[in-house]
Amino acid sequence: MAPYQFPFLRRTVYAGTFLHLSSRTKLCVREHCILGVDEEGKIKFIREKKVDEGHVGSAGLSDEWIDEEVERQGWGRKSEDGNEEEESLTAGGLGGRKGEKTRGWVLVRAGKGEWWFPGFVDTHIHASQYPNSGIFGETTLLEWLKNYTYPLESSLSSLSKARKVYSRCVAATLRHGTTAAAYYATIHAPSTNLLASICLEAGQRAFIGRCGMDSDIQPEYYRDASSAAAIKDTRNTIAHITSIDPDRILVCPIITPRFAPSCSSTLLFALGALAHEDSLPIQTHIAEVPSEVELVAKLFPNYDSYTAVYDGHQLLTSRSVLGHGIHLSPAERALIKKRGAKISHCPVSNSCISSGLCPVRQLLDEGIEVGLGTDVSGGYSPSVLVAAREAGVVSRVLSSVQRDFGPKKPILPVDGQEESSYAKSDKKTKHKEKDASHEYERTRLAVEECLYLATVGGARCLGLEHKIGRFDVGMEWDAQLIRLGSTSPAEAEANVLDEQQEATKHQPIPKTAVDTDDDDDNPVTLWGRETWGEKVAKWVFGGDDRNTRAVW
């Protein structure tokens, strides 16, 4: 198959407000800003303007100021034929064709209530399970795989069905702002190859994995005929992706042993060797539920742990992304850190299948890189925003569990105990309780941290941290345009109660026209008093795909 011809990219200047996470806890907000993207799809320059208070987004940026700033970059005059609205909706695409030059540049302005945010990175999603989204069953993980997952995946040997499933899955992820994803497909090379082609045509950065599984625990109707057959089909997928995207600009193969129990030791060794042969990334599952961990110990008795199984087969590297990682021992976490492997946190799936509460704070504190995965269809939504939301919620639940069901506080003295003895211990007890309370609170993930995991964290997991996840010069333009709803100033005054309005809060509220332009259908409403941190929090906890206006 001939290599894919990437679309020509025009020099484009984006104007408005740009948000990204400059660190795990710091939200960087650039208001009244322009950002220039060259023909290669890379950020060439960033310029901010100080404007009078009250101007929002691109409203304080005049055409004259923009023209002057861009000309200083040597880009010449703005193209006269550029349709700004059309460009904002169709300028998607990553990686342009080298050597091609365009004259002039086009301007894309964010509209009222709009701002740019880095595209989401989904580090763990089963495209083949998309039709089962929302179906969890009432059994264990292993029974769920047997009753729901394997029958669906096996049916994707049909290319016509695979095309329908994969096309809709990729479209759904893009609609939710996912610009990069690590996909699990099936054992079928032709349909896995089709997924790669669909992602490339859609302009989505993707890691495509043909699932390797030749173990006897797999149903006979859905497993590789042998380890040799599995490697042959995996090479087929690697060759296909190389043929359509030789430089792996957008699509890259990823070695995918489904999980240790689904593979023979022979296959694991072969997949590890194949990953090293072509310096390929690796994805698999680890320690999702206790019964899975027990099964691994039974199937691989010569290894000390689940993690050691992967390490012993050359599958634990700095390019390995391990899904879940809930039930890891301290020694396993230390080994993962030593090898530089990453964890894909899948909070929605972990909750829906009752897998457990992943101690993300502990992983981060120990220096392990963490990203977010939707884990469709264990997770019910293809939205990384939902995963970020649930990552925060799950961390709060874990904090409460640790507080209420962890080690108990010291028992108070019974009647008759010497007062002096209690007095001496009381100070130490209060100090310990304060320290314990601080530890419980630290378990929680802030909104900023959840969004970091959804962008920069995911990029680091997939080795893309020098390309995507932030808006910095030299990075690739990989973004989504976010729009939140707002009320008119009059309605905000009528509906937001403050101290001066307390006396009249029971009086009828006059109806005022909402400043619409699609705001009626926006799930998030701003009232004019929110800080940027509060706006972002509202988006995380109340937003959905209707907030994502476009992706690049």
Side-chain angles (χ1 to χ4, degrees):
M1 180 177 292
Y4 178 73
Q5 296 297 308
F6 287 97
F8 294 111
L9 298 183
R10 303 184 68 176
R11 287 177 174 175
T12 304
V13 174
Y14 298 91
T17 299
F18 300 81
L19 278 66
H20 71 235
L21 278 300
S22 56
S23 72
R24 212 165 68 203
T25 58
K26 183 174 177 56
L27 179 69
C28 175
V29 181
R30 293 188 178 116
E31 293 187 279
H32 320 300
C33 181
I34 60 172
L35 182 152
V37 178
D38 65 16
E39 302 93 336
E40 300 297 321
K42 292 184 178 180
I43 300 173
K44 197 70 174 178
F45 62 85
I46 300 174
R47 292 290 181 271
E48 293 181 78
K49 180 184 180 183
K50 291 184 179 181
V51 300
D52 295 335
E53 186 175 352
H55 289 97
V56 179
S58 64
L61 303 176
S62 67
D63 286 344
E64 292 76 17
W65 181 84
I66 293 175
D67 288 344
E68 290 174 2
E69 287 297 315
V70 176
E71 281 196 61
R72 288 195 181 100
Q73 305 305 314
W75 276 18
R77 305 293 296 179
K78 180 171 62 176
S79 299
E80 297 299 326
D81 60 342
N83 183 307
E84 293 175 21
E85 180 178 359
E86 180 182 1
E87 287 291 333
S88 69
L89 297 176
T90 63
L94 305 165
R97 191 180 302 170
K98 293 183 178 180
E100 298 291 345
K101 300 293 182 182
T102 58
R103 295 181 179 180
W105 48 276
V106 294
L107 175 66
V108 179
R109 284 183 180 270
K112 183 178 180 181
E114 295 179 345
W115 34 276
W116 277 284
F117 194 77
F120 288 136
V121 181
D122 192 340
T123 59
H124 188 105
I125 176 172
H126 295 263
S128 52
Q129 297 177 24
Y130 182 66
N132 274 356
S133 298
I135 302 175
F136 318 118
E138 299 178 358
T139 57
T140 65
L141 168 67
L142 299 179
E143 287 297 313
W144 174 76
L145 290 171
K146 176 182 176 182
N147 296 332
Y148 293 94
T149 302
Y150 294 152
L152 171 62
E153 290 190 11
S154 68
S155 71
L156 297 192
S157 60
S158 164
L159 285 177
S160 60
K161 182 171 183 178
R163 181 178 296 278
K164 181 180 294 186
V165 170
Y166 290 151
S167 295
R168 294 192 179 188
C169 178
V170 172
T173 60
L174 285 168
R175 190 169 63 247
H176 284 277
T178 299
T179 55
Y183 287 112
Y184 287 68
T186 66
I187 65 173
H188 315 106
S191 58
T192 300
N193 298 346
L194 176 61
L195 173 59
S197 297
I198 288 171
C199 290
L200 191 59
E201 288 285 348
Q204 184 181 56
R205 195 184 307 273
F207 293 79
I208 306 296
R210 192 209 76 92
C211 291
M213 39 189 184
D214 67 339
S215 169
D216 290 342
I217 75 163
Q218 295 296 133
E220 289 188 15
Y221 68 85
Y222 188 53
R223 68 185 183 209
D224 290 308
S226 65
S227 59
I231 294 301
K232 179 181 179 181
D233 283 347
T234 300
R235 287 188 181 278
N236 181 304
T237 291
I238 294 172
H240 172 77
I241 293 174
T242 301
S243 72
I244 61 174
D245 191 359
D247 297 325
R248 295 175 185 169
I249 294 173
L250 280 184
V251 183
C252 177
I254 183 167
I255 299 300
T256 308
R258 188 186 196 99
F259 68 147
S262 68
C263 301
S264 67
S265 186
T266 301
L267 179 55
L268 290 177
F269 273 123
L271 289 172
L274 185 55
H276 284 268
E277 176 186 313
D278 201 14
S279 299
L280 291 173
I282 299 163
Q283 65 179 356
T284 189
H285 299 74
I286 194 169
E288 185 173 358
V289 296
S291 59
E292 171 202 5
V293 176
E294 294 169 1
L295 179 59
V296 170
K298 180 180 178 180
L299 294 174
F300 299 90
N302 296 327
Y303 294 89
D304 293 336
S305 67
Y306 200 157
T307 305
V309 171
Y310 290 135
D311 190 48
H313 292 87
Q314 300 186 76
L315 290 165
L316 194 69
T317 75
S318 61
R319 301 199 69 188
S320 297
V321 183
L322 309 173
H324 304 285
I326 305 171
H327 307 282
L328 295 168
S329 69
E332 287 182 284
R333 296 196 301 272
L335 181 56
I336 289 171
K337 170 63 168 58
K338 182 178 180 180
R339 298 290 185 256
K342 319 301 193 292
I343 295 291
S344 174
H345 177 39
C346 306
V348 181
S349 171
N350 294 344
S351 297
C352 291
I353 305 181
S354 303
S355 302
L357 304 172
C358 185
V360 175
R361 175 69 65 204
Q362 183 178 57
L363 296 174
L364 295 173
D365 284 349
E366 294 179 3
I368 297 173
E369 300 281 0
V370 180
L372 291 181
T374 59
D375 195 23
V376 168
S377 68
Y380 58 79
S381 171
S383 168
V384 177
L385 184 66
V386 170
R389 176 185 308 154
E390 292 306 309
V393 171
V394 166
S395 73
R396 286 161 172 74
V397 172
L398 180 57
S399 174
S400 300
V401 169
Q402 291 173 336
R403 181 195 64 208
D404 298 340
F405 302 101
K408 300 300 181 182
K409 300 175 183 177
I411 300 175
L412 295 177
V414 297
D415 292 341
Q417 181 175 345
E418 293 183 10
E419 180 66 20
S420 58
S421 175
Y422 173 62
K424 291 178 181 179
S425 65
D426 186 47
K427 187 175 182 180
K428 292 182 179 180
T429 299
K430 288 182 177 179
H431 181 69
K432 289 180 180 179
E433 289 180 5
K434 183 178 180 180
D435 288 345
S437 175
H438 176 65
E439 285 303 310
Y440 299 148
E441 292 173 358
R442 283 199 71 255
T443 297
R444 305 171 191 166
L445 298 175
V447 168
E448 292 83 357
E449 292 178 292
C450 295
L451 288 175
Y452 179 91
L453 299 183
T455 53
V456 181
R460 294 180 69 88
C461 284
L462 298 176
L464 300 172
E465 65 270 26
H466 301 300
K467 294 184 177 181
I468 64 174
R470 306 186 313 275
F471 296 133
D472 289 329
V473 172
M475 302 286 282
E476 295 189 10
W477 174 242
D478 187 271
Q480 51 183 317
L481 182 63
I482 303 301
R483 177 174 187 155
L484 303 184
S486 64
T487 60
S488 66
E491 186 170 3
E493 288 299 320
N495 286 278
V496 180
L497 299 176
D498 55 23
E499 293 180 0
Q500 288 72 31
Q501 295 171 314
E502 276 293 307
T504 59
K505 68 179 181 181
H506 296 297
Q507 296 179 8
I509 297 176
K511 290 185 178 180
T512 339
V514 178
D515 186 11
T516 59
D517 203 10
D518 294 331
D519 280 354
D520 282 342
D521 192 43
N522 199 302
V524 180
T525 300
L526 299 180
W527 297 88
R529 301 184 179 187
E530 295 90 346
T531 64
W532 270 110
E534 291 167 343
K535 292 176 184 179
V536 169
K538 280 194 165 188
W539 173 49
V540 169
F541 287 104
D544 59 30
D545 59 316
R546 288 171 290 179
N547 297 114
T548 304
R549 186 162 180 253
V551 295
W552 285 264

